[in-house]
mmCIF file of all heavy atoms in Angstrom:
data_model
loop_
_atom_site.group_PDB
_atom_site.id
_atom_site.type_symbol
_atom_site.label_atom_id
_atom_site.label_comp_id
_atom_site.label_asym_id
_atom_site.label_seq_id
_atom_site.Cartn_x
_atom_site.Cartn_y
_atom_site.Cartn_z
ATOM 1 N N GLY A 1367 63.655 182.811 1.291
ATOM 2 C CA GLY A 1367 63.612 183.560 0.057
ATOM 3 C C GLY A 1367 62.491 183.199 -0.762
ATOM 4 O O GLY A 1367 62.305 183.709 -1.870
ATOM 5 N N GLN A 1375 49.767 181.786 -1.551
ATOM 6 C CA GLN A 1375 49.041 180.838 -2.441
ATOM 7 C C GLN A 1375 49.034 179.405 -1.846
ATOM 8 O O GLN A 1375 47.941 178.753 -1.810
ATOM 9 C CB GLN A 1375 49.471 180.886 -3.853
ATOM 10 C CG GLN A 1375 49.334 182.038 -4.722
ATOM 11 C CD GLN A 1375 50.113 182.145 -5.981
ATOM 12 O OE1 GLN A 1375 50.541 181.207 -6.417
ATOM 13 N NE2 GLN A 1375 50.295 183.384 -6.479
ATOM 14 N N ALA A 1377 49.267 178.745 1.432
ATOM 15 C CA ALA A 1377 48.344 178.899 2.543
ATOM 16 C C ALA A 1377 46.900 178.822 2.156
ATOM 17 O O ALA A 1377 46.016 178.220 2.794
ATOM 18 C CB ALA A 1377 48.585 180.310 3.402
ATOM 19 N N LYS A 1388 43.227 160.348 8.577
ATOM 20 C CA LYS A 1388 44.022 159.750 9.597
ATOM 21 C C LYS A 1388 45.533 159.881 9.433
ATOM 22 O O LYS A 1388 46.259 159.888 10.378
ATOM 23 C CB LYS A 1388 43.669 158.255 9.794
ATOM 24 C CG LYS A 1388 42.209 158.098 10.262
ATOM 25 C CD LYS A 1388 41.858 156.510 10.311
ATOM 26 C CE LYS A 1388 40.374 156.412 10.810
ATOM 27 N NZ LYS A 1388 40.075 154.920 11.000
ATOM 28 N N LEU A 1419 60.519 165.006 -11.394
ATOM 29 C CA LEU A 1419 61.741 165.469 -10.915
ATOM 30 C C LEU A 1419 62.924 164.425 -11.453
ATOM 31 O O LEU A 1419 62.928 163.303 -11.109
ATOM 32 C CB LEU A 1419 61.887 165.469 -9.420
ATOM 33 C CG LEU A 1419 60.867 166.351 -8.794
ATOM 34 C CD1 LEU A 1419 60.981 166.110 -7.274
ATOM 35 C CD2 LEU A 1419 60.847 167.853 -9.037
ATOM 36 N N LYS A 1423 71.767 160.605 -8.714
ATOM 37 C CA LYS A 1423 71.683 160.251 -7.422
ATOM 38 C C LYS A 1423 72.102 161.483 -6.486
ATOM 39 O O LYS A 1423 73.013 162.285 -6.879
ATOM 40 C CB LYS A 1423 72.662 159.020 -7.074
ATOM 41 C CG LYS A 1423 72.666 158.627 -5.636
ATOM 42 C CD LYS A 1423 73.589 157.474 -5.512
ATOM 43 C CE LYS A 1423 73.623 156.889 -4.064
ATOM 44 N NZ LYS A 1423 74.531 155.775 -3.823
ATOM 45 N N LYS A 1427 65.728 164.639 -4.665
ATOM 46 C CA LYS A 1427 64.419 164.572 -5.383
ATOM 47 C C LYS A 1427 63.312 164.245 -4.228
ATOM 48 O O LYS A 1427 62.366 164.934 -4.173
ATOM 49 C CB LYS A 1427 64.429 163.405 -6.477
ATOM 50 C CG LYS A 1427 65.319 163.871 -7.584
ATOM 51 C CD LYS A 1427 65.269 162.767 -8.641
ATOM 52 C CE LYS A 1427 65.953 161.493 -8.302
ATOM 53 N NZ LYS A 1427 67.447 161.656 -8.157
ATOM 54 N N SER A 1454 47.205 146.072 -10.413
ATOM 55 C CA SER A 1454 46.513 145.612 -9.193
ATOM 56 C C SER A 1454 47.142 146.074 -7.846
ATOM 57 O O SER A 1454 46.510 146.474 -7.006
ATOM 58 C CB SER A 1454 46.269 144.122 -9.099
ATOM 59 O OG SER A 1454 47.474 143.355 -9.132
ATOM 60 N N PRO A 1473 47.628 151.653 -2.953
ATOM 61 C CA PRO A 1473 48.166 152.846 -2.524
ATOM 62 C C PRO A 1473 47.844 154.228 -3.373
ATOM 63 O O PRO A 1473 47.386 155.241 -2.887
ATOM 64 C CB PRO A 1473 49.629 152.773 -2.520
ATOM 65 C CG PRO A 1473 50.003 151.703 -3.277
ATOM 66 C CD PRO A 1473 48.873 150.847 -3.233
ATOM 67 N N ALA A 1480 41.688 160.346 -1.214
ATOM 68 C CA ALA A 1480 41.882 161.117 0.029
ATOM 69 C C ALA A 1480 42.410 162.568 -0.289
ATOM 70 O O ALA A 1480 42.193 163.493 0.444
ATOM 71 C CB ALA A 1480 42.809 160.434 1.042
ATOM 72 N N LEU A 1497 52.021 151.531 -15.862
ATOM 73 C CA LEU A 1497 51.871 152.971 -16.289
ATOM 74 C C LEU A 1497 50.617 153.203 -17.061
ATOM 75 O O LEU A 1497 50.075 154.242 -16.944
ATOM 76 C CB LEU A 1497 53.158 153.275 -17.210
ATOM 77 C CG LEU A 1497 54.486 153.329 -16.544
ATOM 78 C CD1 LEU A 1497 55.540 153.615 -17.672
ATOM 79 C CD2 LEU A 1497 54.640 154.383 -15.496
ATOM 80 N N LEU A 1500 47.761 154.635 -15.142
ATOM 81 C CA LEU A 1500 47.958 155.946 -14.596
ATOM 82 C C LEU A 1500 47.668 157.114 -15.597
ATOM 83 O O LEU A 1500 47.347 158.293 -15.226
ATOM 84 C CB LEU A 1500 49.561 156.223 -14.180
ATOM 85 C CG LEU A 1500 49.937 155.331 -13.101
ATOM 86 C CD1 LEU A 1500 51.493 155.685 -12.798
ATOM 87 C CD2 LEU A 1500 49.212 155.782 -11.703
ATOM 88 N N GLN A 1509 40.413 160.633 -13.710
ATOM 89 C CA GLN A 1509 39.449 159.582 -13.319
ATOM 90 C C GLN A 1509 39.963 158.343 -13.795
ATOM 91 O O GLN A 1509 40.807 158.272 -14.737
ATOM 92 C CB GLN A 1509 38.080 159.868 -13.623
ATOM 93 C CG GLN A 1509 37.861 160.030 -15.102
ATOM 94 C CD GLN A 1509 36.258 160.364 -15.404
ATOM 95 O OE1 GLN A 1509 35.899 159.953 -16.314
ATOM 96 N NE2 GLN A 1509 35.773 161.152 -14.563
ATOM 97 N N PRO A 1522 40.213 166.889 -5.678
ATOM 98 C CA PRO A 1522 40.804 168.044 -6.365
ATOM 99 C C PRO A 1522 42.150 168.435 -5.782
ATOM 100 O O PRO A 1522 42.972 169.012 -6.501
ATOM 101 C CB PRO A 1522 39.856 169.015 -5.963
ATOM 102 C CG PRO A 1522 38.485 168.460 -5.609
ATOM 103 C CD PRO A 1522 38.901 167.130 -5.116
ATOM 104 N N MET A 1530 62.905 160.259 -11.212
ATOM 105 C CA MET A 1530 63.588 159.281 -12.015
ATOM 106 C C MET A 1530 65.078 159.698 -11.959
ATOM 107 O O MET A 1530 65.534 160.810 -12.003
ATOM 108 C CB MET A 1530 63.113 159.320 -13.547
ATOM 109 C CG MET A 1530 63.184 160.710 -14.243
ATOM 110 S SD MET A 1530 62.646 160.443 -15.949
ATOM 111 C CE MET A 1530 64.006 159.712 -16.631
ATOM 112 N N GLU A 1558 78.516 173.568 -3.026
ATOM 113 C CA GLU A 1558 79.207 173.480 -1.708
ATOM 114 C C GLU A 1558 78.398 174.210 -0.738
ATOM 115 O O GLU A 1558 78.221 173.901 0.356
ATOM 116 C CB GLU A 1558 80.544 174.125 -1.818
ATOM 117 C CG GLU A 1558 81.362 174.063 -0.487
ATOM 118 C CD GLU A 1558 82.826 174.458 -0.669
ATOM 119 O OE1 GLU A 1558 83.320 174.288 -1.644
ATOM 120 O OE2 GLU A 1558 83.212 175.045 0.314
ATOM 121 N N GLU A 1568 71.627 170.033 10.129
ATOM 122 C CA GLU A 1568 71.614 168.844 10.889
ATOM 123 C C GLU A 1568 72.501 168.830 12.149
ATOM 124 O O GLU A 1568 72.312 168.286 13.257
ATOM 125 C CB GLU A 1568 72.063 167.741 10.008
ATOM 126 C CG GLU A 1568 71.920 166.369 10.617
ATOM 127 C CD GLU A 1568 70.516 165.849 10.912
ATOM 128 O OE1 GLU A 1568 69.668 166.631 10.726
ATOM 129 O OE2 GLU A 1568 70.461 164.882 11.566
ATOM 130 N N GLY A 1626 80.260 154.474 7.188
ATOM 131 C CA GLY A 1626 79.277 155.151 6.517
ATOM 132 C C GLY A 1626 79.470 155.259 5.062
ATOM 133 O O GLY A 1626 78.441 155.386 4.339
ATOM 134 N N LEU A 1634 87.853 146.017 -3.798
ATOM 135 C CA LEU A 1634 88.939 146.552 -3.011
ATOM 136 C C LEU A 1634 89.666 147.744 -3.648
ATOM 137 O O LEU A 1634 89.988 148.706 -2.940
ATOM 138 C CB LEU A 1634 89.990 145.494 -2.801
ATOM 139 C CG LEU A 1634 89.542 144.234 -2.009
ATOM 140 C CD1 LEU A 1634 90.619 143.161 -1.823
ATOM 141 C CD2 LEU A 1634 89.132 144.724 -0.607
ATOM 142 N N ILE A 1644 89.041 160.650 0.648
ATOM 143 C CA ILE A 1644 88.660 161.149 1.912
ATOM 144 C C ILE A 1644 89.990 161.679 2.746
ATOM 145 O O ILE A 1644 89.906 162.682 3.428
ATOM 146 C CB ILE A 1644 87.943 160.098 2.730
ATOM 147 C CG1 ILE A 1644 86.513 159.810 2.091
ATOM 148 C CG2 ILE A 1644 87.698 160.365 4.228
ATOM 149 C CD1 ILE A 1644 85.802 158.652 2.682
ATOM 150 N N PRO A 1649 91.947 164.125 8.105
ATOM 151 C CA PRO A 1649 92.799 163.181 8.904
ATOM 152 C C PRO A 1649 92.054 162.011 9.453
ATOM 153 O O PRO A 1649 90.879 162.306 10.141
ATOM 154 C CB PRO A 1649 93.414 164.025 9.905
ATOM 155 C CG PRO A 1649 93.354 165.382 9.418
ATOM 156 C CD PRO A 1649 92.034 165.456 8.709
ATOM 157 N N GLY A 1660 82.672 173.037 20.969
ATOM 158 C CA GLY A 1660 81.961 172.835 22.347
ATOM 159 C C GLY A 1660 82.207 171.508 22.914
ATOM 160 O O GLY A 1660 82.728 170.650 22.386
#
Side-chain angles (χ1 to χ4, degrees):
Q1375 290 170 18
K1388 294 181 180 179
L1419 305 177
K1423 180 179 180 181
K1427 295 182 289 295
S1454 61
L1497 294 177
L1500 296 176
Q1509 59 183 216
M1530 60 178 283
E1558 185 173 331
E1568 180 67 5
L1634 294 179
I1644 294 172

